[in-house]
Structure formats: C-alpha cells, structure tokens
Amino acid sequence: MKRILLILSFLVPLYLKAQDIKKHYKIFDVKKKSLVTLDDIIRDMQQANVLFFGEEHNDSIGHYLEAEIFKGLAKAYPGKTALTMEMFHTDVQPVINEYLQNIISEKNFIKEARAWNNYKDYRIMVELAKQQNLIVIGGNAAARYSNAVTREGLSVLEKLPAASKSFLPKLPVDTATGRYYDKFMETLGGHGMGSMKVYQTQNFWDATMAWSINNFYKGHKNFKIFQVNGRFHSDEKLGTYAQLIKINPKIKALNISSFAADDFENPNWEKYTALGDYIIVTDPKVKKTF
C-alpha cells in the first residue's frame, strides 16, 4: 500500500494534497443530468463490459482519475478487471506479460515495451495490475505499421507477412466515414490526399484498439475492461468506441470524456453532453504533466 501511495504522489502536482484533489475536477452524468462521483461510475459498470476513459495526454488530474477508477474497478471486481491501453502496442504484449509476472526488470520493460515518455502517468495502473495479478493489454498498432499507412494508405497492410498481420485487426480496416471523418478533417484543418492517409492511420489505430478489446472480451466475458485512450478516439462514441460496437454489437460500453475546461468554475454541461456518458472537467489552472 505504501508503494502505491508513493507512485500516486507523482501523478498530481506536488503542491496538491490528496484531500484537495476533489476541488479540481467535476463529473457530470449525462443520462442523470447531475454531478456524480467516481463510485457512481464504478457502480454503473455492473451493467457494462467496457469503460472507455478518453483523456488529454498531458492532464495530471485526468491521470489521477484514471488510476482511481482502475483501483475502484479492481476492488469491485477482484481478479476480473483488465486494463487495455493505447499507450502500448500489440507487438510488445510478451514484454508486458513478462514484467507483470516479475520476470524482467522495470528498466527493461520500459525500454523494450517502448513506453511513452510520460509513462510515469500510467505507471500506477501497471503496478497495481502487477500487484494484483491483473491483465494489461497493449492495444494499439506499432508505429512502423502506422507510419506505413500514413505513407502509402491502408492497402500497404495487405503486403505484410502473416506473422506481422497477427498483431493487427482483420483487413480491410473500416474507415468510418461520416461524423468522424468530418470531425477529423476539421481538427486537421483541410482535405486532400495527404489528409486522407492520415485519416486512414487514425482509423487503423481505432480498429486495432477495438480489435484488441474484443479479442480479450471474447475469452473473458465476465471481466470489466478499462480502456484508456486519447479522447478523440472515443468522444461522441466515435472512433475506437464505434469500431468496437461494429465488430461486436453485444458488447455494452460506457465512455468518459475528460479534459481541462476553461469554464471549469461554472461548466456549461449542455455544451459537452454529446461527448460521452460521463463528462469530467478538470481545473486548467492545475499544472499539466508535461
């Protein structure tokens, strides 16, 4: 327990005491149209299989809340909780497993699993999984495949050897046009062939993460799966969320959209309700992770 608390201390700015953290986030339940707590989200998972946490990668309060939710799920569903992550790739799953089984060192794990530069923000969840013998799944496609798609389009994946394809979703990848396409192009700032290939890469990430979640779900239907990704991948129940429901309509999922909001003091919840089942706004004045 002391080790977990020590790790947790790195997830939030040092000037914030644990009892003060609640002052720097608010959770809104879109269905109930009211403020709720993390415990309420955990209870709602009785009726769901997957919980998406759409984060801003540099939000320290968001990372704190991810860890709290994962701990809450692990407590409510002991031995039946799994963590799937955008932050690790499918091809490093053996490395993740070796670390969780305490076979390799953390130094080797970080290096050979190609952990993100801000791995410290996710470390508490991995360490909790290691401590409680929980499963962590690298859900995303390796950068070498993503880069190939960005250069040449999705068709390049068909050229991969069979062994490489084992790390990837079934081809062809759905490009999920419509609202997601429009939203992506608005964010990117324009259309064109270059933009389309980047969009295909985005869909490739989404499809790989959805495939990773569903692969685990098929053999563990009594588990609660906690998926952590950048919020663009699941906001409005698009992206990874939509890809998951498309390949397995029987899965019941809930999603959280978490972000620093300029109107934190008095949020306009109506403006955010399309983003997910739960909206978490965090205090933009709190120091970011990096």
Side-chain angles (χ1 to χ4, degrees), residues 1 15 24 36 57 86 95 152 163 201 222 234 265:
M1 179 57 70
Y15 61 80
H24 298 282
V36 294
H57 296 318
E86 174 191 359
V95 183
E152 301 184 42
T201 303
N222 60 337
S234 51
E265 297 300 331

Side-chain angles (χ1 to χ4, degrees), residues 114-286:
R114 305 191 299 271
W116 282 17
N117 291 337
N118 66 324
Y119 172 68
K120 68 182 188 301
D121 298 312
Y122 309 104
R123 183 176 184 264
I124 185 173
M125 293 190 290
V126 174
E127 291 300 311
L128 180 66
K130 184 179 181 183
Q131 183 186 65
Q132 297 191 14
N133 296 315
L134 303 178
I135 296 169
V136 178
I137 300 161
N140 207 353
R144 61 185 181 274
Y145 304 133
S146 301
N147 290 342
V149 172
T150 302
R151 291 194 316 270
E152 301 184 42
L154 284 165
S155 61
V156 72
L157 300 175
E158 299 285 0
K159 302 176 183 178
L160 290 171
S164 300
K165 289 180 180 177
S166 68
F167 299 121
L168 305 176
K170 184 179 179 180
L171 303 175
V173 171
D174 181 14
T175 53
T177 54
R179 169 59 186 155
Y180 196 53
Y181 173 80
D182 293 339
K183 184 179 178 183
F184 184 84
M185 291 304 170
E186 288 167 11
T187 303
L188 202 63
H191 298 254
M193 287 306 295
S195 298
M196 177 54 74
K197 288 179 181 178
V198 175
Y199 176 68
Q200 288 183 347
T201 303
Q202 178 81 8
N203 282 271
F204 174 48
W205 289 335
D206 291 327
T208 305
M209 287 190 282
W211 171 77
S212 298
I213 295 168
N214 190 54
N215 273 357
F216 179 79
Y217 169 78
K218 287 186 295 185
H220 305 82
K221 293 183 179 180
N222 60 337
F223 272 60
K224 302 302 179 182
I225 303 171
F226 186 44
Q227 160 75 5
V228 178
N229 52 245
R231 71 185 186 96
F232 197 95
H233 289 289
S234 51
D235 272 3
E236 301 183 43
K237 300 187 178 182
L238 300 171
T240 304
Y241 188 111
Q243 296 270 12
L244 176 63
I245 301 305
K246 181 170 183 176
I247 61 176
N248 193 339
K250 294 182 179 180
I251 286 182
K252 296 180 180 178
L254 295 170
N255 77 319
I256 297 168
S257 181
S258 178
F259 52 93
D262 292 335
D263 62 352
F264 174 77
E265 297 300 331
N266 186 26
N268 179 359
W269 296 114
E270 192 64 30
K271 181 174 66 174
Y272 302 132
T273 53
L275 295 175
D277 296 297
Y278 310 95
I279 311 302
I280 299 180
V281 294
T282 64
D283 189 346
K285 296 190 297 293
V286 174

Side-chain angles (χ1 to χ4, degrees), residues 74-86:
K75 182 177 180 180
Y77 307 98
K80 300 294 183 180
T81 301
L83 174 65
T84 60
M85 305 180 71
E86 174 191 359

